[in-house]
Amino acid sequence: MTDYIEEQRNELEALESIYPDSFTVVLENPTSFTITVTSDTGENEETVEATIQFTYIEQYPDDPPIFEIIGQENLQKSDVADIITLLNEQIQENIGMVMIFTLVTAVQEKLNEIVDQIKWRKEEEKLLKEKEAEEVEKAIFHGTLLSIENFLSWKAKFDAELAEIRRKRQKEEEQAGKVKLTGKQLFETDHNLDTSDIQFLEEGNNVEVDESLFQDMDDLELDDDDDPDYNPDLGSEED
């Protein structure tokens, strides 16, 4: 007849010796305890962890122990589900034998696999981001596929930009004097022109006259008869 109590006691002593820092007794009747399982450290110092609570039933190990994952670090829900599946499989394979050490070892190996998967996940995310960046660059380089709709949209935008360029160019040419205005246009544009002469006289500006231009007036042969307004009597009266 199997002495279940003795087998359970012996296993507890062995587990406490193997896992001194992560083994904790929760209850004595029924016997219940926790073991925290931590993965090896990954390349980037990442680790994952699971805390499992085991409870003996009366006829353990002929009957399976009860277990529950009561804590975890850096594990996804899918990882926890995989660990539960793994424990159930291991329990079925080890019925009739004390198995807690075997179960914990299996979980330890699984956690190490998960750490490796985290590394690959990060590398895949990096590659995916690089791929997305390349696709964006290709789209920018090759442009958008031509369609009637986007062509008409482009044409309308182009025409508007062209009209604005022409307007600015005409304005610049006018300011630079490239477009010459007629006298009337100048007069109508600049109203200072109609007062400039009056302002000139009011300011008392002196005009210099070159007298040499009139020194040879006596040498000019002028025919008084050709002037219909000439009055010889008027000239004699002044004398």
Side-chain angles (χ1 to χ4, degrees):
M1 183 177 179
T2 303
D3 188 346
Y4 296 114
I5 296 176
E6 183 67 19
E7 287 194 24
Q8 293 172 13
R9 184 187 306 111
N10 291 338
E11 186 178 39
L12 282 175
E13 291 177 358
L15 293 173
E16 187 174 6
S17 176
I18 296 170
Y19 307 108
D21 298 327
S22 58
F23 176 86
T24 302
V25 175
V26 179
L27 293 173
E28 292 184 358
N29 188 22
T31 303
S32 182
F33 54 90
T34 63
I35 298 177
T36 298
V37 189
T38 305
S39 70
D40 295 335
T41 302
E43 291 185 1
N44 297 320
E45 303 300 324
E46 66 272 344
T47 59
V48 292
E49 183 177 287
T51 300
I52 310 169
Q53 182 171 338
F54 295 98
T55 302
Y56 288 151
I57 62 174
E58 185 177 353
Q59 294 186 353
Y60 170 83
D62 286 342
D63 290 334
I66 299 171
F67 74 88
E68 179 184 3
I69 298 177
I70 61 173
Q72 59 87 13
E73 287 187 11
N74 301 324
L75 293 175
Q76 298 181 0
K77 290 182 179 180
S78 59
D79 297 328
V80 175
D82 290 342
I83 292 172
I84 292 173
T85 299
L86 174 65
L87 286 171
N88 284 322
E89 291 174 352
Q90 290 295 316
I91 288 172
Q92 294 303 316
E93 291 177 5
N94 290 278
I95 288 293
M97 300 179 290
V98 290
M99 64 181 76
I100 303 301
F101 175 77
T102 301
L103 298 180
V104 172
T105 300
V107 172
Q108 174 82 52
E109 293 175 353
K110 182 64 177 177
L111 294 180
N112 290 338
E113 291 178 7
I114 292 172
V115 168
D116 292 337
Q117 290 174 4
I118 291 175
K119 171 188 173 183
W120 290 112
R121 287 173 190 166
K122 290 182 177 179
E123 290 183 357
E124 288 177 357
E125 289 176 358
K126 181 180 178 182
L127 291 174
L128 180 60
K129 290 180 179 179
E130 291 176 353
K131 183 67 175 177
E132 290 176 349
E134 290 178 1
E135 293 298 328
V136 171
E137 290 181 0
K138 288 180 180 178
I140 294 174
F141 179 77
H142 293 292
T144 306
L145 294 177
L146 184 63
S147 66
I148 295 176
E149 289 78 9
N150 56 38
F151 171 76
L152 293 176
S153 176
W154 170 85
K155 183 67 166 56
K157 183 178 180 181
F158 175 80
D159 290 343
E161 291 176 352
L162 183 59
E164 179 65 15
I165 291 172
R166 289 174 176 172
R167 186 188 67 80
K168 290 182 178 180
R169 182 183 300 170
Q170 182 177 358
K171 183 176 180 181
E172 290 173 358
E173 289 177 349
E174 291 176 355
Q175 292 176 348
K178 293 183 180 179
V179 176
K180 295 184 178 180
L181 302 178
T182 65
K184 181 179 179 181
Q185 289 175 328
L186 286 171
F187 185 82
E188 292 175 347
T189 302
D190 188 355
H191 295 290
N192 291 326
L193 294 177
D194 58 355
T195 60
S196 60
D197 291 341
I198 297 174
Q199 182 179 359
F200 177 79
L201 295 174
E202 290 177 347
E203 290 176 354
N205 292 304
N206 296 324
V207 179
E208 296 183 359
V209 179
D210 188 356
E211 295 179 357
S212 62
L213 297 175
F214 303 95
Q215 288 177 357
D216 298 330
M217 289 294 291
D218 294 338
D219 297 335
L220 295 176
E221 294 181 358
L222 299 176
D223 189 354
D224 296 336
D225 296 334
D226 294 335
D227 186 359
D229 297 326
Y230 175 70
N231 187 346
D233 297 332
L234 181 60
S236 60
E237 291 177 359
E238 292 178 354
D239 294 336

